[in-house]
């Protein structure tokens, strides 16, 4: 999330913190490694300074068109490298 973006829905995500998301992602990666599932770190690909990059979101929470384009490019690179 990025609480600095205009339109950020304060009421809905007031209690959310990116530190929790980063910790969750670290734990998820460990689980994926244990079960031999590819882990894709979306957060790192779309963030700057531990917040979703403002150019990839209109409200600080959800991806906008540019965010999905960036996500597609990264996923495509992973899929193509595994073929």
């Amino acid at each position: 999330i990025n609480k600095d973006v205009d339109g950020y829905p304060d009421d809905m995500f007031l209690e959310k913190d990116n530190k929790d998301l980063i910790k969750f992602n670290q734990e998820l990666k460990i689980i994926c490694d244990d079960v031999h599932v590819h882990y894709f770190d979306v957060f790192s690909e779309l963030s700057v300074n531990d917040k979703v990059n403002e150019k990839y979101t209109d409200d600080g929470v959800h991806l906008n068109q540019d965010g999905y384009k960036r996500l597609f490019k990264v996923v495509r690179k992973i899929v193509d490298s595994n073929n």
Side-chain angles (χ1 to χ4, degrees):
I1 61 175
N2 187 338
K3 296 178 182 182
D4 299 329
V5 173
D6 288 338
Y8 178 78
D10 290 327
D11 56 333
M12 186 176 210
F13 296 97
L14 187 61
E15 302 294 322
K16 302 302 179 193
D17 188 311
N18 284 341
K19 291 176 188 169
D20 295 331
L21 180 59
I22 292 168
K23 183 172 173 46
F24 175 82
N25 284 339
Q26 291 168 343
E27 295 294 324
L28 183 58
K29 182 176 183 343
I30 291 169
I31 293 168
C32 289
D33 289 345
D34 287 346
V35 296
H36 308 288
V37 172
H38 184 81
Y39 172 77
F40 173 57
D41 185 2
V42 176
F43 182 82
S44 294
E45 293 292 339
L46 300 174
S47 65
V48 62
N49 298 324
D50 291 337
K51 296 187 274 188
V52 65
N53 191 321
E54 289 186 29
K55 69 182 180 180
Y56 296 140
T57 182
D58 294 327
D59 64 2
V61 178
H62 303 96
L63 296 179
N64 61 19
Q65 186 174 3
D66 290 334
Y68 281 110
K69 285 180 183 179
R70 173 71 180 137
L71 181 61
F72 176 79
K73 286 180 184 179
V74 175
V75 171
R76 180 67 179 239
K77 184 178 176 181
I78 292 169
V79 170
D80 288 347
S81 71
N82 288 313
N83 285 331

